[in-house]
Amino acid sequence: MIYEGYIKVLYIDMTTGKIKIENRKDLCEYLGGVGVATKLLEETIRPDLDPLDENQPIVFAIGAASSIFPVITKTVAMFRSPLTGELGESYAGGRMALTMFLAGYDAMVIQGKAKKPSYLAITRNNVGFKDARAFWGMSSDEVGRVIRDREPGGGKRSIIRIGPAGENMVHYASVCVDTYRHFGRLGLGAVFGSKNLKAISIVGDRNLPIKNFKEYFKVYQDIYKKVTDTEIMAKYHDAGTPINIEPLNAAGGLPTKNLKQNVFEHGDKISGETFANQNLVRKMACTGCPVGCIHIGQFRREFDKGHEYEAVSVGYDYELIFALGSFLGIKTSDEVLQLIEPVEHLGMDAMSTGVVLGWATEAFAKKLITEEQTLVPLSFGNTANYIKAIEYIAAKKNEFYTALSEGVEKASDIYGGKDFAMAFSKNEMAGYHTGYGMILGSTVGARHSHLCNGGYSVDQSMKEFNKEKLVDAIFAEEKERCMLNSLVICLFARKVYDRTTILAALNSIGNNLTDEDLTAIGERIYKAKLRIKKALGYDQMSVRLPKRLFETPSYNGQLNEDTAYELIAMYNQKIEEFMAK
Amino acid sequence: MNKCIGCFTCMLTCSGVNRQNHSLSKSAIRVKTSGGLQGKFISVVCLACRDERACAEACPSGALEKRPGGGVMLKPEKCIGCRKCESACIVSAVSYDENENKPIICKHCGVCTRFCPHDCLRMEDVTNDL
């Protein structure tokens, strides 16, 4: 808690409807965010029980300087992932961090299961356990609208919620935060569903005087200036993250048609430039971020005969255009938005959904599965049938779609086609076929996300491939991001928040840490994550890589399977030494 | 305001500079959406009424003095916390500080315009109306 020497944790028991507050001094050595959340997860997780057992916890945490400096906007969620069975960690922006901060909580731990569908209404002086029976079955959009009408605090409120996919416990169901941001990856939405928890509304409106205004505001202004003067303003605000579609496609790094190709022949039709020219209607920001990278696109839909049209607005980003665009051979920006819309409303992770459907399309073509199972014929570029398939996954329509709802690893266990089931340790791939950095980074990353250590970025910046250097770079970045994520700084601003800037910010609010402290915090957090993974039975050396990665050339040319496994073994050696220290 | 991204930096800096507070609730400018996050952003801020100032007219204790060029200045020592100014402002630009028991009156200091990253807010030169 800012200005206090402890971390304030709100424990919520859905079974009994009781809460508990603990002011934990001991958690300060984890700083906040992912550090505090990892420790709380380690204390409460149940390795002996299924990820969707009601006794598993959901942990949320914000950082030591959340919301009071520019671009420190994210909240971290940790849980046992139903998709991978191991460490679940996901980040979302929106207004959640600010509302937690001004409601007065650094972290929340939610355990148990409500008897009936419920939602939580959290304010600075109350936690309400409320009836959500009539909300069950509503889209994430609709439930946001009704709660907005029911709960006070507009403007200082965050509403996080699940759609039908979360209720049905699709293993990669997402949690929507304030309409346009998400805890997307690894299935937090399913964990909500397993607790009969449809939504959480948080109102943050406490009075919080600034302790040392002069010092604080000096640092605030420096950081604000740095953020608004750097190229991230232009890059992420202008055309946004989709600007990367064009260069990655040109360099042969854009996974296309279930990675049968690394270049999409219609790439220009779904580029950031095309979206900006044809669909973009609005840009928005998370609270406290001057950049504003959220891009909203619009398409027109005829919803009935007799010239009945509506304008539909949906948020879009690079990863969504990859997963529900190039990966499925979708040829126009309008159609990509048409696919994003149901994924959004049903509440699923867009990346996992796209990658799962890519596998299903190829498996269908190879006759591993039939139309009796898929219900509609799946083929690359067929938007109308993909929309149906997305609805079938969320509803677990039949045995086949139930398998799809558990991820591509599970589906290929049953139906075959492992060589083109594009996941790293059961987590569906992100939109970068850039080289060994991406493969190694996603495989060894604590949560198997491309963002654990930015391996895809090392691929694009490393001049000459060198195994030791790659392993070292990924190991260093994984630890550094543990530290950055303990503050929960948006990673788009990672270059603004160098060590000096972080220390200036923390020192100005009376948190007198040193550079060595930051290093120690990063290492402490990484070790705790590795301990949890071990307790959950994760073994790096038994990881399987899909052969497709080595058949289709990458951004860095043809890749060799043996080299990839060798890199994983080298990294494994490195963390064994690290843990023994 | 079409360029507004809803980052709330104006509110955070207004609360910070004018009230030395981290809370959004202390800001004299309020950015909000009309109809949830799918609606447009609008800003609610003192319009600096000239000639006739409804808030000052409603004040029973003379705590709101006319500000040259438009708007009013709060004399906190004269304010009794009756909240009549709040309801008199028909654009809802006066909010109330529950901790101080005083209205939050915009000083037209311009800090919000300095920290608007997308130039939605700006200061304008006006003539003295008094």
Side-chain angles (χ1 to χ4, degrees):
Chain A
M1 185 59 43
I2 184 172
Y3 307 133
E4 312 286 348
Y6 57 79
I7 298 290
K8 189 164 168 183
V9 187
L10 169 65
Y11 291 85
I12 299 172
D13 187 335
M14 298 297 296
T15 308
T16 60
K18 298 271 188 224
I19 61 162
K20 183 175 77 175
I21 303 275
E22 276 182 16
N23 293 334
R24 299 269 307 260
K25 281 190 185 146
D26 62 307
L27 292 178
C28 290
E29 62 173 12
Y30 288 87
L31 197 50
V34 78
V36 163
T38 299
K39 193 73 182 68
L40 289 168
L41 183 72
E42 193 177 20
E43 290 170 4
T44 49
I45 200 167
R46 295 286 302 272
D48 52 321
L49 298 175
D50 188 85
L52 295 173
D53 188 283
E54 64 183 71
N55 291 305
Q56 298 289 7
I58 296 170
V59 183
F60 291 110
I62 59 170
S66 274
S67 297
I68 62 171
F69 291 101
V71 216
I72 307 192
T73 51
K74 298 233 178 184
T75 305
V76 59
M78 293 191 84
F79 49 97
R80 183 171 190 185
S81 166
L83 182 64
T84 62
E86 45 139 343
L87 190 76
E89 175 187 339
S90 187
Y91 294 82
R95 289 181 179 164
M96 186 175 176
L98 176 97
T99 56
M100 270 181 75
F101 170 60
L102 289 176
Y105 305 112
D106 296 303
M108 306 193 287
V109 180
I110 304 173
Q111 289 163 295
K113 179 184 182 179
K115 281 184 196 69
K116 300 272 169 63
S118 303
Y119 76 97
L120 292 167
I122 299 174
T123 61
R124 66 186 146 82
N125 50 16
N126 196 28
V127 175
F129 295 79
K130 301 201 172 181
D131 179 16
R133 283 171 296 178
F135 299 165
W136 215 244
M138 280 187 185
S139 73
S140 65
D141 189 54
E142 219 177 341
V143 72
R145 215 174 314 134
V146 284
I147 293 180
R148 215 145 46 218
D149 281 344
R150 283 189 63 76
E151 293 298 326
K156 299 165 191 105
R157 179 183 58 198
S158 181
I159 301 173
I160 73 174
R161 65 268 189 174
I162 58 169
E167 297 169 11
N168 296 336
M169 292 181 261
V170 169
H171 286 192
Y172 41 91
S174 64
V175 174
C176 172
V177 178
D178 302 323
T179 310
Y180 295 122
R181 298 289 91 181
H182 309 84
F183 292 106
R185 307 232 69 191
L186 296 167
L188 179 63
V191 187
F192 266 53
S194 75
K195 298 188 171 309
N196 264 336
L197 178 59
K198 180 72 179 173
I200 305 175
S201 147
I202 309 170
V203 179
D205 61 355
R206 90 189 145 118
N207 172 42
L208 182 61
I210 300 172
K211 277 255 166 84
N212 183 349
F213 176 73
K214 225 175 124 191
E215 188 54 32
Y216 160 72
F217 201 61
K218 186 182 159 294
V219 178
Y220 180 93
Q221 291 185 80
D222 288 346
I223 298 175
Y224 179 86
K225 197 165 175 315
K226 228 170 130 185
V227 172
T228 48
D229 281 352
T230 52
E231 79 284 354
I232 68 164
M233 277 299 276
K235 186 180 168 193
Y236 293 118
H237 181 69
D238 190 335
T241 57
I243 201 68
N244 289 330
I245 293 277
E246 199 270 322
L248 268 155
N249 196 37
L254 182 67
T256 301
K257 298 180 193 169
N258 202 40
L259 198 60
K260 288 210 288 196
Q261 301 169 208
N262 60 336
V263 177
F264 187 30
E265 59 278 19
H266 301 287
D268 59 321
K269 302 285 193 322
I270 60 165
S271 70
E273 205 57 42
T274 301
F275 271 94
N277 289 334
Q278 299 186 358
N279 304 92
L280 179 61
V281 290
R282 198 166 176 212
K283 298 178 200 174
M284 293 169 76
C286 300
T287 306
C289 171
V291 177
C293 76
I294 305 174
H295 284 60
I296 315 295
Q298 207 169 60
F299 67 92
R300 193 169 87 132
R301 173 164 60 201
E302 185 178 18
F303 62 87
D304 206 352
K305 291 191 184 72
H307 298 111
E308 295 284 1
Y309 289 102
E310 63 182 328
V312 184
S313 300
V314 279
Y316 64 88
D317 262 305
Y318 174 82
E319 297 293 353
L320 288 81
I321 300 174
F322 136 71
L324 300 167
S326 67
F327 205 76
L328 298 178
I330 304 299
K331 294 187 275 290
T332 68
S333 58
D334 265 29
E335 286 174 278
V336 174
L337 295 178
Q338 286 165 27
L339 287 178
I340 294 175
E341 199 220 3
V343 169
E344 173 74 53
H345 284 185
L346 295 164
M348 299 196 283
D349 178 45
M351 288 149 82
S352 285
T353 305
V355 171
V356 163
L357 287 175
W359 170 84
T361 307
E362 197 173 335
F364 183 73
K366 291 195 157 81
K367 302 197 170 29
L368 298 176
I369 46 175
T370 66
E371 198 171 326
E372 212 165 289
Q373 288 155 324
T374 59
L375 306 175
V376 286
L378 298 174
S379 62
F380 291 120
N382 187 335
T383 302
N385 285 353
Y386 280 138
I387 291 174
K388 289 194 184 116
I390 287 165
E391 287 164 358
Y392 296 155
I393 293 174
K396 298 187 175 176
K397 186 86 173 169
N398 59 16
E399 208 173 296
F400 170 70
Y401 282 104
T402 303
L404 281 195
S405 81
E406 295 183 16
V408 76
E409 183 77 19
K410 183 65 190 277
S412 59
D413 277 344
I414 301 172
Y415 301 98
K418 279 251 172 266
D419 292 348
F420 54 88
M422 303 314 297
F424 296 104
S425 291
K426 302 183 188 169
N427 190 22
E428 284 75 20
M429 78 178 293
Y432 303 91
H433 188 40
T434 48
Y436 294 114
M438 172 64 185
I439 295 174
L440 176 65
S442 303
T443 306
V444 304
R447 63 184 195 276
H448 310 296
S449 155
H450 65 301
L451 294 174
C452 289
N453 45 47
Y456 67 104
S457 165
V458 181
D459 280 334
Q460 293 172 69
S461 58
M462 197 178 241
K463 295 220 165 55
E464 210 171 298
F465 176 63
N466 175 305
K467 289 178 203 162
E468 283 77 22
K469 273 191 188 153
L470 178 63
V471 169
D472 287 348
I474 286 187
F475 180 65
E477 189 64 16
E478 180 96 19
K479 286 188 294 179
E480 192 66 6
R481 289 192 182 195
C482 283
M483 185 278 290
L484 282 169
N485 288 333
S486 72
L487 290 152
V488 217
I489 295 166
C490 175
L491 290 173
F492 287 166
R494 62 189 179 273
K495 287 187 182 130
V496 171
Y497 281 95
D498 51 28
R499 289 278 185 112
T500 318
T501 308
I502 290 172
L503 290 172
L506 288 174
N507 294 349
S508 80
I509 54 169
N511 204 335
N512 294 315
L513 294 176
T514 64
D515 197 52
E516 293 73 44
D517 293 333
L518 295 182
T519 304
I521 286 164
E523 296 198 340
R524 200 171 289 136
I525 296 169
Y526 192 29
K527 280 189 175 168
K529 284 193 196 180
L530 291 171
R531 283 199 303 271
I532 295 175
K533 288 167 74 72
K534 198 171 176 197
L536 295 175
Y538 179 68
D539 173 18
Q540 195 116 283
M541 294 311 289
S542 67
V543 163
R544 164 207 74 93
L545 295 169
K547 291 224 185 293
R548 178 62 50 81
L549 291 167
F550 311 103
E551 293 161 0
T552 305
S554 75
Y555 180 103
N556 275 312
Q558 199 76 36
L559 303 173
N560 180 299
E561 197 173 359
D562 295 337
T563 308
Y565 284 111
E566 189 191 339
L567 287 163
I568 293 170
M570 284 167 71
Y571 194 92
N572 200 53
Q573 179 71 30
K574 203 160 188 80
I575 53 173
E576 274 177 13
E577 284 162 20
F578 174 63
M579 289 305 277
K581 253 202 300 190
Chain B
M1 278 300 287
N2 259 346
K3 286 185 82 177
C4 179
I5 56 171
C7 68
F8 291 2
T9 306
C10 54
M11 296 165 74
L12 291 164
T13 49
C14 177
S15 288
V17 171
N18 291 312
R19 311 242 149 200
Q20 273 89 63
N21 203 293
H22 290 299
S23 174
L24 281 181
S25 315
K26 307 278 180 182
S27 172
I29 181 170
R30 271 175 296 139
V31 169
K32 57 180 205 174
T33 51
S34 47
L37 282 172
Q38 283 130 320
K40 280 202 166 200
F41 285 113
I42 53 171
S43 69
V44 179
V45 64
C46 175
L47 300 178
C49 298
R50 296 158 70 87
D51 307 320
E52 293 174 16
R53 289 134 164 109
C55 53
E57 287 167 11
C59 179
S61 58
L64 295 174
E65 289 180 6
K66 286 186 177 179
R67 182 180 164 278
V72 292
M73 292 174 291
L74 174 70
K75 300 284 158 188
E77 67 283 1
K78 291 188 187 172
C79 175
I80 55 171
C82 70
R83 305 183 75 150
K84 287 199 171 110
C85 52
E86 196 185 356
S87 45
C89 178
I90 57 169
V91 294
S92 307
V94 176
S95 50
Y96 196 72
D97 188 328
E98 302 279 356
N99 306 101
E100 303 287 328
N101 282 318
K102 298 270 184 290
I104 298 169
I105 301 288
C106 175
K107 295 183 196 164
H108 299 275
C109 68
V111 70
C112 54
T113 66
R114 277 207 293 130
F115 289 93
C116 177
H118 295 282
D119 303 321
C120 313
L121 306 171
R122 62 168 185 271
M123 295 293 275
E124 271 176 8
D125 284 325
V126 293
T127 53
N128 190 345
D129 65 327
L130 297 183

